[in-house]
């Protein structure tokens, strides 16, 4: 595996690890109860730590193929969740999301950074890193 591919996979792994630790910090340390859409984002994020970690250890980009699909779907879920929080036309969809409504904002840093925004940023970093890894691999063939 080329150094550039290894660096890009490391970026994807680091972003997934940071997002996983961040979500655990919010729920276990700050005692924020995750809403239903937060759980879906966790389901899509947590395996990425293992997928990209194993890919780095094995030095095999093929092992990370599932990460592209998970991060792509995760990006869509995060965007939808963020829209429920920030777009008035979507906010009513978040009221019936379970024990904790999906339109609730535990954090709102600088007026726009919420938990789904942070998760979406991580998913986008992972997705773009993976796409760039594929491009590097194709150029080297």
């Amino acid at each position: 595996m080329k150094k550039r591919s290894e660096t890009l996979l490391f970026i994807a792994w680091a972003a997934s690890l940071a997002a996983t630790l961040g979500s655990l910090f919010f729920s276990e340390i700050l005692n924020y109860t995750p809403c239903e859409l937060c759980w879906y984002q966790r389901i899509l994020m947590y395996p990425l730590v293992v997928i990209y970690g194993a890919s780095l250890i094995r030095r095999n980009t093929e092992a990370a193929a599932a990460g592209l699909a998970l991060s792509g779907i995760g990006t869509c879920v995060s965007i939808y969740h963020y829209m429920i929080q920030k777009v008035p036309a979507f906010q009513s969809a978040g009221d019936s999301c379970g024990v904790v409504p999906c339109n609730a904002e535990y954090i709102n840093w600088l007026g726009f950074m919420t938990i789904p925004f942070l998760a979406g940023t991580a998913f986008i970093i992972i997705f773009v890193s993976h796409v760039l890894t594929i491009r590097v691999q194709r150029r080297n063939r």
Side-chain angles (χ1 to χ4, degrees):
M1 178 165 53
K2 296 284 186 186
K3 183 69 174 163
R4 179 144 167 91
S5 295
E6 191 172 335
T7 301
L8 289 166
L9 282 178
F10 178 78
I11 290 169
W13 175 77
S16 65
L17 181 64
T20 297
L21 293 175
S23 74
L24 290 172
F25 174 77
F26 284 132
S27 64
E28 301 303 317
I29 305 299
L30 298 181
N31 293 317
Y32 295 163
T33 304
C35 71
E36 188 173 330
L37 288 175
C38 287
W39 278 113
Y40 292 138
Q41 290 167 82
R42 286 175 175 214
I43 289 167
L44 294 165
M45 182 65 72
Y46 288 9
L48 294 176
V49 177
V50 177
I51 290 169
Y52 287 111
S55 182
L56 279 170
I57 291 168
R58 295 175 62 198
R59 296 181 173 264
N60 180 359
T61 57
E62 303 296 322
L68 188 63
L70 290 173
S71 61
I73 295 167
T75 299
C76 295
V77 173
S78 293
I79 289 170
Y80 176 66
H81 192 183
Y82 188 71
M83 287 173 53
I84 286 174
Q85 288 183 333
K86 295 295 185 182
V87 178
F90 285 89
Q91 285 185 343
S92 63
D95 290 336
S96 61
C97 200
V99 176
V100 176
C102 290
N103 56 10
E105 296 178 16
Y106 284 118
I107 64 167
N108 190 8
W109 299 332
L110 303 174
F112 70 94
M113 284 197 277
T114 63
I115 293 173
F117 180 88
L118 297 173
T121 302
F123 279 124
I124 290 169
I125 290 169
I126 294 163
F127 188 83
V128 169
S129 296
H130 195 118
V131 169
L132 292 174
T133 301
I134 292 170
R135 289 183 66 198
V136 168
Q137 294 291 325
R138 286 187 180 164
R139 282 189 199 151
N140 293 331
R141 286 184 186 172

